[in-house]
Amino acid sequence: MASIRRTLSPAYHDRTHQNGVSTFSVQSPPHKLLSGVFLQKYSRKGHTGWRRPFFRCLAFFLLGFLFGMTPFGGVDDVRTHDFSFEIKPPPVNVKQNLDNGVLRREDIVVDAVALGIQTRSDRKERVDFIPRKQLIVVTPTYNRAFQAFYLNRLGQVLRLVPPPLLWIVVEMNTASMETAEILSKTGVMYRHLVCTHNSTGIKDRGVHQRNSALEHIERHKLDGIIYFADDDNIYSLELFETLKEVSRFGTWPVAMLAQSKNKAILEGPVCNGSQVIGWHTNEKSKRLRRFHVDMSGFAFNSTILWDPKRWQRRISDPIRQRDTVKEGFQETTFIEQVVEDESQMEGQPHGCSRVMCWHLHLEAHNLIYPGDWLLPKNLDVVLPISD
């Protein structure tokens, strides 16, 4: 039987279609085959042929992104206020028993260790911030034999008082370098003031020194509890802790040694709890005073000086000590400007049962330096040098 075999004409290799794309044959290379398919497929669509694969890729990308973000396991509700890290180790055999010299261990589960973030409610319960009142201690001082001793002693007491505390030290006419050096070494926050008032013929220079401090407090509107602490008195640390409990005006008894130094006097309030109901006094010449208090036996709120409306003060005149009153009446005339009667006072401590301040009158008036402090001649000592 005869077979007929047709061969491809060589003319088909060079044959082109009407759109200008050449045909391909089975014997063509693979890259030419693929290029011919794609060119033939997409060249008919023109420039819009890339949109379909682009949107397909975008759709698959979004679908995979959603699958990746979807949790497939159980996830507990996580809140910011109970977020914590917990370390839960596997059960560990820790218990030890000795049986015939053999060490045995039994099962004991170790409790989980939690490193948690505290909730806001817990923080509010723990942190109860109560601002402390500032103590403003006013000390008049002057040049005398025991000045350095007194200032150093008082400065060491104030150093133990918890802050905030401001120590205002006032000198007459000029600020001495010696006083400034003592104050800088105490470690207490201080202000060194100078009273320029003419002190000629004044019996008590401390009146104008305290007034200079009051003017400074009123001008700068310092907020705190003002206390006049003379440098020659003896103070307990408990006194300064009690001062922070004063609201308007606080007072307490002061023990003092009489001028004759043959008896002790207790001067100050008699209290029923914190209510002042009477006064301690032993001197007949001072029974005419309205309030029987020593200068170091009271303290008051500084806002009384520069905010009279807060305390409903009727008189708006500046509160100052007066140098025209008789000796021994300085305290009562000053207190009468601050309070009206005992109902506005607070007895400190409870019941006024303890003495926290002592006034001993141990001044050396006519002595510049203690005797035998300075040696007129140096000692000549010769020491032999030996090998």
Side-chain angles (χ1 to χ4, degrees), residues 240-296:
F240 297 97
E241 297 175 354
T242 305
L243 290 178
K244 298 185 178 182
E245 301 176 3
V246 175
S247 176
R248 175 171 181 164
F249 184 94
T251 182
W252 49 87
V254 176
M256 59 183 63
L257 191 64
Q259 295 289 347
S260 59
K261 296 182 176 58
N262 58 0
K263 62 178 180 179
I265 301 173
L266 183 64
E267 191 173 52
V270 178
C271 302
N272 181 13
S274 60
Q275 182 182 5
V276 179
I277 59 176
W279 302 95
H280 292 289
T281 181
N282 293 328
E283 297 186 17
K284 297 180 180 180
S285 61
K286 294 184 179 180
R287 290 181 181 177
L288 299 176
R289 295 188 301 171
R290 175 67 179 85
F291 303 111
H292 302 270
V293 187
D294 185 73
M295 189 62 71
S296 297

Side-chain angles (χ1 to χ4, degrees), residues 117-166:
I117 299 176
Q118 298 179 356
T119 63
R120 295 183 179 179
S121 59
D122 293 341
R123 290 185 225 166
K124 291 181 180 178
E125 292 178 359
R126 290 188 180 183
V127 180
D128 296 331
F129 179 73
I130 301 177
R132 296 178 178 177
K133 293 182 180 178
Q134 178 177 229
L135 300 184
I136 305 174
V137 181
V138 177
T139 301
T141 186
Y142 60 96
N143 186 16
R144 62 195 189 279
F146 292 159
Q147 181 186 15
F149 167 72
Y150 290 147
L151 289 177
N152 276 295
R153 182 180 63 182
L154 179 57
Q156 295 304 316
V157 175
L158 297 179
R159 188 175 184 177
L160 301 176
V161 179
L165 183 143
L166 176 62

Side-chain angles (χ1 to χ4, degrees), residues 18-270:
Q18 296 179 358
N19 56 6
V21 180
S22 61
T23 59
F24 59 90
S25 63
V26 180
Q27 299 177 355
S28 300
H31 65 276
K32 292 184 179 180
L33 178 63
L34 293 176
S35 62
V37 172
F38 282 98
L39 289 175
Q40 187 177 10
K41 183 178 181 180
Y42 291 110
S43 61
R44 299 175 182 177
K45 298 181 180 180
H47 61 279
T48 60
W50 57 271
R51 293 184 179 180
R52 180 175 295 178
F54 173 76
F55 285 115
R56 287 179 180 177
C57 293
L58 181 61
F60 281 112
F61 174 77
L62 293 177
L63 185 62
F65 179 77
L66 293 176
F67 274 110
M69 295 298 294
T70 303
F72 293 96
V75 180
D76 296 335
D77 185 17
V78 180
R79 299 178 182 176
T80 56
H81 66 273
D82 58 1
F83 180 72
S84 63
F85 298 97
E86 293 187 357
I87 302 175
K88 295 182 179 180
V92 181
N93 296 331
V94 179
K95 188 173 180 181
Q96 300 179 356
N97 292 326
L98 290 175
D99 188 6
N100 297 327
V102 180
L103 184 63
R104 295 182 179 180
R105 297 183 179 181
E106 298 180 0
D107 293 340
I108 290 182
V109 179
V110 179
D111 294 336
V113 180
L115 304 175
I117 299 176
Q118 298 179 356
T119 63
R120 295 183 179 179
S121 59
D122 293 341
R123 290 185 225 166
K124 291 181 180 178
E125 292 178 359
R126 290 188 180 183
V127 180
D128 296 331
F129 179 73
I130 301 177
R132 296 178 178 177
K133 293 182 180 178
Q134 178 177 229
L135 300 184
I136 305 174
V137 181
V138 177
T139 301
T141 186
Y142 60 96
N143 186 16
R144 62 195 189 279
F146 292 159
Q147 181 186 15
F149 167 72
Y150 290 147
L151 289 177
N152 276 295
R153 182 180 63 182
L154 179 57
Q156 295 304 316
V157 175
L158 297 179
R159 188 175 184 177
L160 301 176
V161 179
L165 183 143
L166 176 62
W167 190 17
I168 300 179
V169 180
V170 188
E171 286 192 290
M172 291 296 298
N173 301 325
T174 59
S176 64
M177 296 298 297
E178 292 80 6
T179 302
E181 184 179 0
I182 292 174
L183 297 179
S184 62
K185 292 181 179 179
T186 57
V188 180
M189 184 173 63
Y190 70 92
R191 294 189 182 184
H192 193 185
L193 306 182
V194 176
C195 177
T196 57
H197 192 276
N198 187 9
S199 60
T200 304
I202 297 177
K203 295 181 180 179
D204 188 3
R205 63 172 67 92
V207 172
H208 298 285
Q209 290 175 293
R210 297 187 191 97
N211 286 340
S212 297
L214 294 176
E215 293 174 2
H216 180 83
I217 295 171
E218 184 176 357
R219 185 186 316 115
H220 296 280
K221 294 184 179 181
L222 301 180
D223 191 3
I225 303 300
I226 300 176
Y227 178 54
F228 298 124
D230 293 341
D231 56 0
D232 58 340
N233 292 347
I234 299 175
Y235 306 93
S236 66
L237 189 60
E238 181 184 4
L239 171 62
F240 297 97
E241 297 175 354
T242 305
L243 290 178
K244 298 185 178 182
E245 301 176 3
V246 175
S247 176
R248 175 171 181 164
F249 184 94
T251 182
W252 49 87
V254 176
M256 59 183 63
L257 191 64
Q259 295 289 347
S260 59
K261 296 182 176 58
N262 58 0
K263 62 178 180 179
I265 301 173
L266 183 64
E267 191 173 52
V270 178

